[in-house]
Amino acid sequence: MSASLDIRLKRANKVYHEGEVLAGVVVIISKEAVQHQGISLTMEGIVNLQLSSKSVGVFEAFYNSVKPIQLITSNIEVVKPGKVPGGKTEIPFEFPLNVKGNKVLYETYHGVFVNIQYTLRCDMKRSLLAKDLSKTCEFMVHCQPQKGKLLPSPVDFTITPETMQNVKERGSLPKFMIRGRLNATNCVITQPLTGELVVESSEVPIKSIELQLVRVETCGCAEGYARDATEIQNIQIAEGDICHGLPIPIYMVFPRLFTCPTLETTNFKVEFEVNVVMVLHDDHLITENFPLKLCRV
Amino acid sequence: MAAVQWHSRVRNYEAELQGCRLESVPVEFGDYHPLKPITVTESKSRRGGRKGSTSSSSSSSSSAAPDPLSSMLDGTDPLSMFAAASVGEAPAAPHGAGSGEAGRKRKEKEEEAGVGLDFEPWSAKRGEILARFTTTEKLSINLFMGSDKGKAPSPGSAVSEKVRTRLEELDDLEEGSQREMLNLSQQDYVNRIEELNQSLKEAWASDQKVKALKIVIQCSKLLSDTAVIQFYPSKFVLITDILDTFGRLVYDRIWSMCSDSRLLPDSFSADDVNDTAKETCLNWFFKIASIRELIPRLYVEAAILKCNRFLSKTGIQETLPRLTAMIRGIGDPLVAVYARAYLCRVGMEVAPHLKDSLNKNFFDLLGSFRQIHGDSVQNQLVLQRVEIPVYLTLYSPAIHWILQCVSYKAPEALLTEMMERCKQIGNNALLLNSVMWAFRAEFVAARATDFIGMIKDCDEAGFPKSGLCRPPESERLSILNEAWKVITKVRSPQDYINCAEIWVEFTCRHFTKREVNTVLSDIIKHMTPDRAFEEAYPQLQSVIRKVLTYFHDFSVLFSMERFLPFLDMFQKDSVRVEVCRSIMEVFIKYQQEPTRDPVILNALLHVCKTMHDSVNALTLDDEKRSLALLINGFIRMVSFGRDFEQQLSFCVEARATFCNLEPVMVQLIHTVNQLAMETRRVMRGSHSRKTAAFVRACAAYSFITIPSLTSIFSRLNLYLLSGQVALANQCLSQADAFLKAAVSVLPEVPRSISVEGKLRSSEGFLLDFINNFLSTLLVVPDHPEQGVLYLVRGLLNMVQDYTWEENSDAKVRVYISALPILAAMSQESYLYCIPKVDSNETLYGGDPKFVAEINKLCETLIGQVLDHLKTLGRDEGVRRQGSLAFSLFGCLLAHGDLRNNKLNQLAVNLWNLSHKHGYCDTRTSVRTLEYIKHQGLQPNMSHISEMAQRLSLQSRA
C-alpha cells in the first residue's frame, strides 16, 4: 500500500504577501484507489523564541523557552471523506493568507534565537487500519512594502589607530589609515550593501579585509530580556596586501531567509549590523561596526 | 628415364606478334572509349576553380589530356573540405563534450558575432601556456571538503562563535574531507586536477549539485596559492578548465529547465524564461554570493556569468564591472592579473560587445602595476628563489590575453590612449612587449619609430617584435637603421641575439642581400667574442631559417660574403648538421633548374660534406637515409650541360667526398650510367673515338665504384645495369667484365637478407635477378677466346654450386627458366638485339654445332629437372612435384619442338605426372588444354592436336 501526498505551490519561489491567495495543488499518487476520511489543509505561522544560555541559565534556556507566538492558523477541508482513484490525482486549492484581528504577519526569518516560519500542512485522515498521511511545506512571507520614502544614509568612515576603542596597548598598534564609505546604512533588503574602501597606508601588510554580517536578536520575557549577536555570513573583500590608494568595492548581498527587515515587537527584536574586519599580517584584528536598518520597498 | 633429346621449336617472332595482336578497330568519333580524351560538347559552367579539369570540345593535340579523375570533383576535394570543417570545430569543443552541445555553443558564438575568426581563441593559448610554464618542484593541493564557511549556522545552536568554528573544523577532520596532498610532481598535480574535473562531472550527473559547487570552490581556492610560482600560469589553465566545465553544466541545466515545453531560441530574453528556471538560477547566484573567500567567489561567479541572461537583460552588463572592481581586492598582483585574464576571457565569450569592462580591467591593471615591485612580492620571490625576469615572464600570457581582448576591433583613439598610459607607467618592457604583440600590426607599424624610441628608453631589454609588421615603404630603411642602432648597443650577447633574430626577418623581407649581409656581419661581430654563439644556437638557427625563407636563389645567397662565415659559427656538430640540413631542404625544394654555378656547387658541396662527415658508426639508419636523400637531391641538381667530362669529374669528386653513404654511391653510379646513355643519345648511337673513350671511362667509374657497396643486391643490380649500359655503348669487353663480375658475386648472396629490419629469405630476390640476368644474356655475344655460351654456363655452374635452402625448388626453377633463353638463342633471328652490337645470331649464323651445343645444354638441364622430380615423388613432395612438372610442361609446350616424338612423349608424361596426385589447379589445366587445342588448329600443328587428345583432365581421369 503506497500512496504519497505532496503539495505543490504555484509560485516557484513560494513567496507570498499578506492578503494574497496561496494557490496550488495537492498531489496524490498511488497505484490503487485510496479510501480516506477527508483531506484537509492547515496553514500555520509561528514565531519561535529561544533564550540563549548566555543570558539565562542553561536549564532555563532549555526548559523555560518562551512560548511560541502564533501569527496565523487556519484550516480548510479540501476533499470530503471518500475515495481517491488510483494513479496521479491533482486537487487544486486556493487558500487566502488573511490574518485575524490586529495581528501582523512578520516576514519569514531563520535566525538563532528567533525563528519566524510559515508552513502549509496537508493531512489525509484514514481509517483505523491505515496510517494517516501528512505532508508539510514551508512557504515564505514577505511583509508589505514599508511606506514612506527611504532616505539614503551614506556613512563615511576613517579608521586609524586613534579611532580604535577597546585597545589595551595603543603603543603596540601599527600605523594605518583606512578610509571608506558605505553608500547606505538604511538598506533595501533586496539590494546589496555597497560602498568602497581605500587603504591609504598601512605599516604592516594587510592579510585580509572582510565584511561580517551580524544579527542581533533580542527576546523579552518575564525574567527580563536576552540580547545576542551572532554572525550570519562573512564575506572577504580583499585578500593579501592590496594596492594602497586604490579603492576596493564593498559589496554584499543579503542572504535570503537569514535576513529580514529590521523587526521590533513587544516580545522580540531582530536587528542587523555589519562589521568591517581587517586582519593584519601580524594578526591584529581591526573591526569597525555599523548598525544597519533593513527594509523592504 | 633415358636422356631426352632437345629440339627447340623454330619461332617466327614477327608472325607470332601479328597473330597475337588484337584486331585494331578505329574508334569512331562519338563512340565511347574509356581512354579517349574527355570531350565536352556542351560547355557547362563549372563551380569551383580546378583549372585542370575543364575540358573543351576542341581538343588540341598539344594540350595534355585532362585527368578523368579530377573531372569527377568540382570545387575543393572532399578530404580538404573535411579538414577545413574539423579545424573550425576543434576550438569550439575543447573538452570533448557532447557534440550537439558543442554545435549549439558554436552557433551561439557565431550569432553573438562579436568575435570573428581573426581573434585568436583561448584554446590556442592553452597548450602553449601548459608547455611553457612547468616546474620540477613539488606541489601540494589542499582541499577542505565539506566545510562551507559561507553557510549560515544551523538555528538552535547557541554556542559562541569561536567554539562553533572549532567544532566545524573538528567535524571536517572526522569526515576525513580535509585532504592535503603534499609532494606532488607536476604530472601528479595535473592528474589530480583532472580527477577533480571528473568528480565534478560525476557529482553533477548524480545530482549532487552542492558537492559539485564545493569542488569548484575548492579548486578556485587553489588559485590564491602562489607557492611554486613558476607553475602558476599552468595551474590557472588547468583550474579554469574546471570552471569552464562548471559554467557550462550550470548553464545547460538551467537552459534545459526552460526548454521542457518548447525549445528556447538562442536569442532568448529573460522574459522567455519560466519561473522555476529563474528561481534555480537565482539560487545559484545567492549561493555563490555567500562564498566566504574573495577569489573563489570571484571565479565561480565569473564562471556562471552567462547565466545572467536568464534573469535580466542587463545582468551581464552590470555584473562585469562589479567583478572587475572586485579584483582590486586581490593583493597578489600575479593572482589578480590572471583573474583579470579569466574575466576578460569569459567577458569576450559571453558579451564581446561590452568593451568598457575590458578597458577598465586594463586600466585597473595599470593602476596596480606598481604592486609587482612591492615588498610582499619581493619577499615571496626571495623565499621561492625566483628571479625577477623569470617572475615577469609569468605575467606575459595573462597580459597578452587581456591586451588582445582589449585591442580587438578597438578604435585607434583608444589604442593611442592606452599607449600613452602605458608610457606613464614607467615604460615597462613587459607591458611594451605585450602591447606590441597584441595591438594591430598596422597600428604598431605606423608608430614604429615611437616604439623604437620607447624600447630605447626601456631599461630591461624587451623583445621587439615589431619586425612582424609592415611599416610604410618610405620609413623602412630609417626604421631599420634606428632599430639596429639600438640593438647593436645591447651588450649582453643573449639579449642581443634575441632582438637581432627578430629584425633579421624584417631585413630579409624588405631589403636586398646587401643589407642582410651587413646584418649578418654585425651578428658575427657580436657573437664571436668569448664564443658567445655557443649559448645562442637556437636563435642563430632561426636567423638562418629566416634568411632561407626569403632567399631562394642560391646564387644570391652564397654571394653574400658573410653567409658562409656565419655558418662557421655553428661549431657544435649536431647543430651544424641541422643547419646544413635545412639549407639543403630549401635548396631541393626551390631549385628548379639544374645548375653548374661554381659558387653554388662549391658551397653546397661544402654543406653536404659537413652533413656527410657527421655520419659515424653510431648514426641511426634513418638519419643516414635522410642525409643521403638530401645529398642525392643535390647531386641530381648538378648538370654541366654538354660538358660531360666535367660532370664525370664532379662525380669522381663526389665519390671521394661522400664515400660513407651508400645511397649516394648508388646515385652516383646511376648518374654516371645516365651520363653514358646521354652521350650515346647525343652521338645518335655511333660513338666517335673520343666519345667511345669517354663512355669507357664511365664504365670504368662504375666498375670500380660498385665493389665498395655493401648491399649485395644493389651490387648485383648495378653490375647488370652497368653491363647493359656498356653493351648499349658497344663496350663489349666492359660489358663482359660487368656480367662476369655479377656471376662471380652470386655465390656470396646470403640465404637471408634484412628487408626493412626484418630477416627475409633472399631466394625470391635472387630468382628475380637471375631471370633478369638471363634475358640480358640473349644479346651478349660470346667472347672469342672463351667457349660457346661461356656466360650462360658460368651462371648455371654458379647456380649448381650455390647453397640453396634445403627443401627448395629454386635451383630447378632456375633450370626451367633457363630453357626458354636457350631456346631463344637457337633461333635464326633473335627476339631483340642491340643496335651496332652483333649478337650470337650473327656470330654463329645458326651454325648446327652451336645449336647442338645448346641442345646438349638443354638436355642436361631437363635431366637435372627430371632427377629432381623423381626425388619429390615421396610424401609431402607430391604437391611441389606436380607444380614443377606442370611448369616444365609449359616450357616444353612453348619452346620445345613437339614434333619430336620423344619430346612429345615427355610432355605427355609430365602432364600426367602433374595431374597424378590431384594437386593441379583445374582451371589452369582447362585453360591450357584449350590453348593447346587452339594451337592444334593452325597449319603444321597437327602434332599438337594429336597430343591434345592424349592429355586428359583430372576430372575425367
Side-chain angles (χ1 to χ4, degrees):
Chain A
M1 183 71 215
S2 61
S4 75
L5 197 62
D6 198 9
I7 307 173
R8 291 198 192 139
L9 290 174
K10 228 178 204 167
R11 284 190 196 166
N13 59 6
K14 299 183 183 172
V15 172
Y16 295 88
H17 299 90
E18 192 182 334
E20 284 180 336
V21 172
L22 273 82
V25 285
V26 173
V27 184
I28 302 155
I29 301 170
S30 87
K31 284 200 184 111
E32 307 143 33
V34 186
Q35 189 78 42
H36 63 89
Q37 308 285 308
I39 300 173
S40 65
L41 279 170
T42 313
M43 178 195 282
E44 206 162 33
I46 285 179
V47 180
N48 268 309
L49 298 175
Q50 191 170 22
L51 294 175
S52 91
S53 54
K54 243 193 324 193
S55 323
V56 294
V58 178
F59 288 102
E60 269 100 342
F62 198 74
Y63 291 112
N64 209 5
S65 57
V66 189
K67 231 171 70 186
I69 304 163
Q70 198 146 52
L71 297 175
I72 188 172
T73 176
S74 60
N75 188 312
I76 53 169
E77 186 172 54
V78 184
V79 184
K80 289 210 155 55
K83 216 175 188 180
V84 181
K88 183 176 171 185
T89 313
E90 288 190 357
I91 305 161
F93 65 84
E94 284 193 345
F95 207 151
L97 183 60
N98 286 330
V99 272
K100 288 182 194 106
N102 55 356
K103 280 196 173 156
V104 195
L105 287 184
Y106 305 129
E107 187 157 326
T108 303
Y109 167 74
H110 292 206
V112 181
F113 304 108
V114 179
N115 260 303
I116 306 172
Q117 199 173 13
Y118 295 86
T119 54
L120 191 60
R121 196 178 72 236
C122 177
D123 292 297
M124 182 196 268
K125 288 206 182 64
R126 294 208 284 176
S127 59
L128 285 170
L129 291 171
K131 255 169 82 181
D132 289 356
L133 290 177
S134 171
K135 171 80 185 180
T136 312
C137 95
E138 182 177 1
F139 64 92
M140 277 27 106
V141 170
H142 280 180
C143 58
Q144 298 295 351
Q146 270 130 3
K147 289 179 186 82
K149 195 141 164 67
L150 189 75
L151 289 169
S153 45
V155 181
D156 289 306
F157 59 91
T158 308
I159 314 172
T160 61
E162 286 72 40
T163 62
M164 305 297 292
Q165 300 156 1
N166 298 330
V167 185
K168 288 193 184 95
E169 289 172 73
R170 208 167 283 272
S172 70
L173 266 184
K175 284 200 172 55
F176 60 85
M177 158 86 161
I178 286 148
R179 283 192 300 106
R181 171 192 172 87
L182 287 180
N183 290 341
T185 49
N186 282 341
C187 299
V188 181
I189 197 164
T190 52
Q191 304 288 316
L193 173 75
T194 56
E196 61 180 32
L197 182 146
V198 189
V199 178
E200 296 288 0
S201 68
S202 170
E203 229 174 37
V204 174
I206 290 169
K207 202 179 195 177
S208 174
I209 301 178
E210 286 151 25
L211 297 176
Q212 190 183 32
L213 183 64
V214 173
R215 53 170 103 73
V216 183
E217 293 159 316
T218 315
C219 303
C221 62
E223 285 85 19
Y225 71 95
R227 186 173 190 272
D228 291 282
T230 48
E231 179 187 292
I232 301 175
Q233 68 175 10
N234 197 340
I235 296 288
Q236 188 186 35
I237 55 168
E239 161 157 331
D241 192 15
I242 52 162
C243 190
H244 294 183
L246 198 69
I248 61 165
I250 290 175
Y251 182 91
M252 178 166 67
V253 176
F254 293 112
R256 296 188 292 188
L257 296 182
F258 303 116
T259 51
C260 66
T262 305
L263 193 58
E264 220 169 311
T265 67
T266 46
N267 296 330
F268 64 95
K269 276 201 279 190
V270 180
E271 292 155 309
F272 298 92
E273 290 173 358
V274 68
N275 289 329
V276 176
V277 183
M278 250 161 303
V279 188
L280 299 185
H281 244 279
D282 53 7
D283 281 336
H284 268 106
L285 199 82
I286 300 153
T287 310
E288 185 80 14
N289 179 273
F290 303 92
L292 299 177
K293 188 169 162 44
L294 300 187
C295 57
R296 191 177 288 282
V297 290
Chain B
M1 202 174 281
V4 246
Q5 284 187 345
W6 175 265
H7 296 280
S8 299
R9 188 157 68 93
V10 178
R11 310 276 293 266
N12 183 347
Y13 293 120
E14 198 57 26
E16 279 181 43
L17 188 62
Q18 284 299 332
C20 295
R21 207 171 264 164
L22 290 171
E23 223 179 325
S24 61
V25 179
V27 180
E28 293 291 320
F29 181 82
D31 279 1
Y32 171 76
H33 190 276
L35 295 179
K36 224 173 64 160
I38 296 171
T39 51
V40 180
T41 34
E42 216 178 320
S43 65
K44 280 185 205 147
S45 65
R46 301 187 65 88
R47 286 153 296 165
R50 277 187 78 100
K51 288 203 173 110
S53 62
T54 38
S55 35
S56 58
S57 52
S58 62
S59 56
S60 61
S61 56
S62 63
S63 72
D67 177 3
L69 289 180
S70 63
S71 64
M72 302 294 288
L73 306 162
D74 44 12
T76 44
D77 67 307
L79 286 181
S80 50
M81 254 154 64
F82 279 128
S86 66
V87 164
E89 212 160 53
H95 300 284
S99 61
E101 175 198 327
R104 204 191 73 229
K105 278 192 104 88
R106 192 171 69 237
K107 222 163 83 196
E108 272 169 17
K109 232 182 217 164
E110 278 161 13
E111 260 174 34
E112 277 159 15
V115 186
L117 282 174
D118 48 341
F119 188 79
E120 192 185 358
W122 173 255
S123 53
K125 302 257 179 196
R126 221 186 136 257
E128 197 182 302
I129 296 176
L130 283 179
R132 190 168 149 204
F133 297 98
T134 57
T135 183
T136 50
E137 281 186 48
K138 294 297 179 194
L139 303 157
S140 63
I141 298 182
N142 198 346
L143 296 176
F144 286 95
M145 284 303 179
S147 80
D148 191 357
K149 294 264 174 69
K151 183 175 71 180
S154 51
S157 72
V159 267
S160 75
E161 201 64 18
K162 267 186 195 160
V163 176
R164 210 195 70 226
T165 26
R166 270 191 211 138
L167 281 176
E168 255 178 26
E169 278 166 17
L170 279 177
D171 279 350
D172 290 342
L173 287 172
E174 273 166 12
E175 281 172 33
S177 52
Q178 182 194 4
R179 289 188 288 164
E180 185 166 15
M181 285 168 279
L182 295 167
N183 282 333
L184 296 173
S185 75
Q186 184 184 328
Q187 189 53 46
D188 291 341
Y189 194 92
V190 173
N191 293 344
R192 302 299 310 185
I193 298 279
E194 183 44 37
E195 273 171 36
L196 282 174
N197 203 355
Q198 283 310 317
S199 50
L200 164 67
K201 283 181 192 159
E202 276 162 28
W204 189 270
S206 58
D207 221 35
Q208 293 171 283
K209 303 283 151 60
V210 177
K211 187 179 171 197
L213 181 62
K214 275 179 187 166
I215 292 175
V216 173
I217 293 173
Q218 295 305 324
C219 285
S220 30
K221 223 186 250 179
L222 295 175
L223 282 175
S224 57
D225 173 22
T226 53
V228 194
I229 205 158
Q230 306 93 307
F231 185 61
Y232 192 84
S234 293
K235 181 159 78 171
F236 168 79
V237 168
L238 294 172
I239 289 172
T240 48
D241 279 355
I242 295 186
L243 287 166
D244 288 345
T245 312
F246 177 71
R248 209 170 38 241
L249 289 173
V250 173
Y251 184 87
D252 288 348
R253 166 93 185 107
I254 298 174
W255 196 80
S256 71
M257 287 174 87
C258 326
S259 60
D260 39 29
S261 53
R262 78 216 130 84
L263 220 62
L264 218 52
D266 280 333
S267 56
F268 68 91
S269 74
D271 302 333
D272 305 330
V273 180
N274 65 29
D275 283 348
T276 329
K278 265 187 185 156
E279 187 61 21
T280 314
C281 191
L282 212 57
N283 257 331
W284 277 111
F285 281 112
F286 269 110
K287 228 174 194 119
I288 289 165
S290 69
I291 296 173
R292 187 183 169 277
E293 275 106 332
L294 172 67
I295 290 168
R297 182 154 30 96
L298 175 75
Y299 271 103
V300 179
E301 185 163 2
I304 65 161
L305 182 68
K306 201 177 177 186
C307 296
N308 274 300
R309 287 184 66 192
F310 296 112
L311 293 180
S312 70
K313 208 173 166 186
T314 55
I316 296 177
Q317 212 169 314
E318 288 156 6
T319 314
L320 265 177
R322 182 167 59 74
L323 292 178
T324 305
M326 219 161 123
I327 297 178
R328 290 180 171 191
I330 302 178
D332 191 305
L334 187 67
V335 177
V337 83
Y338 274 94
R340 288 189 196 288
Y342 184 65
L343 194 59
C344 287
R345 172 147 82 83
V346 176
M348 277 307 267
E349 229 169 81
V350 174
H353 51 280
L354 298 175
K355 289 278 174 196
D356 284 349
S357 66
L358 294 176
N359 300 344
K360 191 154 176 307
N361 252 314
F362 183 64
F363 291 138
D364 269 4
L365 168 70
L366 294 182
S368 60
F369 208 73
R370 57 177 189 273
Q371 285 283 98
I372 293 179
H373 301 287
D375 287 341
S376 19
V377 170
Q378 301 295 341
N379 293 341
Q380 202 186 4
L381 293 187
V382 170
L383 213 65
Q384 295 199 25
R385 288 191 293 274
V386 175
E387 292 185 14
I388 276 280
V390 177
Y391 177 66
L392 288 181
T393 56
L394 300 180
Y395 283 84
S396 59
I399 298 185
H400 270 12
W401 180 260
I402 296 172
L403 274 169
Q404 188 189 338
C405 295
V406 168
S407 64
Y408 184 67
K409 289 187 182 163
E412 195 90 334
L414 178 68
L415 298 185
T416 318
E417 188 196 342
M418 290 194 163
M419 246 188 81
E420 285 309 313
R421 291 183 67 162
C422 287
K423 259 189 203 171
Q424 287 164 11
I425 300 287
N427 207 348
N428 191 297
L430 174 66
L431 272 178
L432 201 57
N433 186 18
S434 293
V435 165
M436 282 191 287
W437 186 88
F439 283 13
R440 277 195 300 274
E442 307 91 71
F443 177 83
V444 179
R447 290 168 185 69
T449 13
D450 268 5
F451 271 105
I452 289 165
M454 280 160 68
I455 296 166
K456 232 196 272 186
D457 299 338
C458 199
D459 38 355
E460 292 151 272
F463 297 64
K465 294 228 175 187
S466 49
L468 297 168
C469 58
R470 269 165 248 99
E473 194 96 33
S474 54
E475 285 179 35
R476 280 179 192 162
L477 191 61
S478 67
I479 287 174
L480 180 64
N481 282 333
E482 243 346 89
W484 208 262
K485 253 186 246 161
V486 181
I487 294 171
T488 201
K489 279 190 203 123
V490 177
R491 243 180 244 113
S492 146
Q494 198 61 42
D495 292 341
Y496 167 81
I497 192 67
N498 280 338
C499 304
E501 179 200 339
I502 306 288
W503 280 92
V504 163
E505 179 161 15
F506 178 73
T507 320
C508 289
R509 180 183 286 210
H510 298 298
F511 297 97
T512 60
K513 65 171 190 179
R514 205 184 116 241
E515 285 79 6
V516 177
N517 196 27
T518 321
V519 168
L520 290 183
S521 73
D522 192 63
I523 296 180
I524 295 175
K525 207 169 77 197
H526 270 83
M527 301 308 288
T528 317
D530 300 330
R531 301 178 68 79
F533 49 77
E534 284 180 343
E535 304 293 315
Y537 283 137
Q539 289 89 340
L540 291 174
Q541 261 180 293
S542 124
V543 169
I544 288 281
R545 262 200 303 277
K546 280 168 186 159
V547 173
L548 287 174
T549 320
Y550 291 99
F551 289 85
H552 294 150
D553 187 342
F554 275 72
S555 56
V556 175
L557 187 66
F558 287 121
S559 64
M560 261 185 249
E561 280 165 26
R562 310 306 296 177
F563 187 73
L564 287 177
F566 192 89
L567 288 186
D568 287 341
M569 284 205 289
F570 297 99
Q571 294 192 350
K572 194 171 146 201
D573 273 347
S574 59
V575 183
R576 190 150 54 157
V577 171
E578 198 58 39
V579 171
C580 290
R581 196 193 277 262
S582 54
I583 294 177
M584 286 317 293
E585 271 160 10
V586 172
F587 177 78
I588 290 170
K589 193 167 167 200
Y590 292 103
Q591 188 75 21
Q592 303 287 347
E593 299 284 309
T595 177
R596 57 183 300 173
D597 184 337
V599 177
I600 297 182
L601 291 190
N602 263 326
L604 287 183
L605 211 54
H606 173 75
V607 167
C608 288
K609 186 167 162 40
T610 314
M611 293 201 294
H612 168 264
D613 291 351
S614 75
V615 173
N616 56 31
L618 294 176
T619 315
L620 294 173
D621 278 351
D622 276 347
E623 175 80 7
K624 277 193 205 163
R625 222 189 332 263
S626 76
L627 289 179
L629 211 64
L630 291 173
I631 298 179
N632 282 349
F634 164 58
I635 291 173
R636 267 197 289 269
M637 273 302 160
V638 177
S639 164
F640 290 90
R642 276 302 199 42
D643 194 346
F644 293 137
E645 286 184 18
Q646 190 160 6
Q647 180 108 32
L648 184 62
S649 64
F650 170 79
C651 287
V652 172
E653 195 186 337
R655 181 177 59 190
T657 317
F658 306 122
C659 56
N660 284 336
L661 285 172
E662 206 155 283
V664 180
M665 294 289 111
V666 174
Q667 173 65 36
L668 283 171
I669 294 168
H670 281 303
T671 310
V672 169
N673 278 336
Q674 199 187 355
L675 201 58
M677 290 314 279
E678 190 67 10
T679 317
R680 179 176 176 273
R681 193 181 61 81
V682 170
M683 300 305 289
R684 292 173 199 282
S686 46
H687 285 292
S688 68
R689 179 191 289 267
K690 202 177 150 204
T691 57
F694 177 72
V695 292
R696 279 201 286 275
C698 289
Y701 179 97
S702 305
F703 194 69
I704 56 171
T705 312
I706 293 172
S708 64
L709 301 176
T710 55
S711 158
I712 188 96
F713 277 102
S714 11
R715 231 147 78 196
L716 284 173
N717 287 324
L718 283 172
Y719 271 134
L720 180 58
L721 184 70
S722 306
Q724 287 165 340
V725 170
L727 212 53
N729 283 302
Q730 302 124 44
C731 307
L732 296 184
S733 56
Q734 279 79 4
D736 239 20
F738 276 119
L739 300 177
K740 230 189 285 180
V743 172
S744 63
V745 167
L746 267 184
E748 292 172 30
V749 175
R751 287 241 290 270
S752 52
I753 51 167
S754 111
V755 179
E756 285 163 3
K758 276 180 234 156
L759 224 51
R760 292 248 224 103
S761 158
S762 65
E763 200 179 277
F765 296 96
L766 192 55
L767 282 183
D768 283 351
F769 173 74
I770 290 176
N771 287 342
N772 194 358
F773 192 85
L774 279 172
S775 60
T776 310
L777 286 184
L778 177 65
V779 289
V780 182
D782 275 348
H783 196 281
E785 284 160 24
Q786 310 279 0
V788 179
L789 297 179
Y790 160 68
L791 279 171
V792 180
R793 280 170 197 279
L795 179 73
L796 291 175
N797 284 338
M798 284 302 177
V799 170
Q800 170 94 39
D801 297 340
Y802 183 77
T803 42
W804 295 96
E805 264 175 73
E806 282 170 52
N807 285 326
S808 150
D809 302 325
K811 186 159 84 173
V812 180
R813 291 213 176 268
V814 173
Y815 290 160
I816 294 176
S817 54
L819 286 176
I821 192 75
L822 289 169
M825 279 175 168
S826 58
Q827 303 300 324
E828 259 174 45
S829 67
Y830 283 179
L831 181 55
Y832 44 87
C833 63
I834 293 174
K836 294 196 192 289
V837 174
D838 292 329
S839 302
N840 286 341
E841 56 172 338
T842 23
L843 288 186
Y844 296 109
D847 185 349
K849 264 194 205 157
F850 175 65
V851 177
E853 197 72 26
I854 290 176
N855 287 351
K856 230 170 85 194
L857 205 52
C858 291
E859 280 150 23
T860 322
L861 291 178
I862 293 178
Q864 291 274 334
V865 177
L866 294 180
D867 283 349
H868 184 75
L869 284 179
K870 260 184 236 161
T871 63
L872 286 179
R874 287 179 299 277
D875 309 332
E876 292 83 28
V878 286
R879 181 188 284 266
R880 278 156 58 201
Q881 188 190 42
S883 117
L884 273 180
F886 196 75
S887 48
L888 185 56
F889 169 78
C891 189
L892 285 183
L893 184 67
H895 304 286
D897 186 356
L898 294 178
R899 280 173 302 192
N900 179 299
N901 277 339
K902 277 204 171 161
L903 222 46
N904 199 325
Q905 183 57 44
L906 176 64
V908 175
N909 286 347
L910 284 171
W911 173 272
N912 291 337
L913 181 63
S914 63
H915 286 78
K916 190 163 131 198
H917 294 285
Y919 285 119
C920 209
D921 178 20
T922 323
R923 283 179 62 187
T924 321
S925 308
V926 171
R927 205 105 42 84
T928 315
L929 203 58
E930 268 166 21
Y931 168 77
I932 296 172
K933 282 177 183 156
H934 178 73
Q935 289 286 310
L937 295 178
Q938 286 174 12
N940 300 329
M941 289 292 194
S942 54
H943 59 282
I944 297 275
S945 56
E946 279 162 28
M947 187 182 83
Q949 285 162 8
R950 290 162 61 195
L951 303 177
S952 57
L953 279 171
Q954 207 169 12
S955 52
R956 291 185 218 150

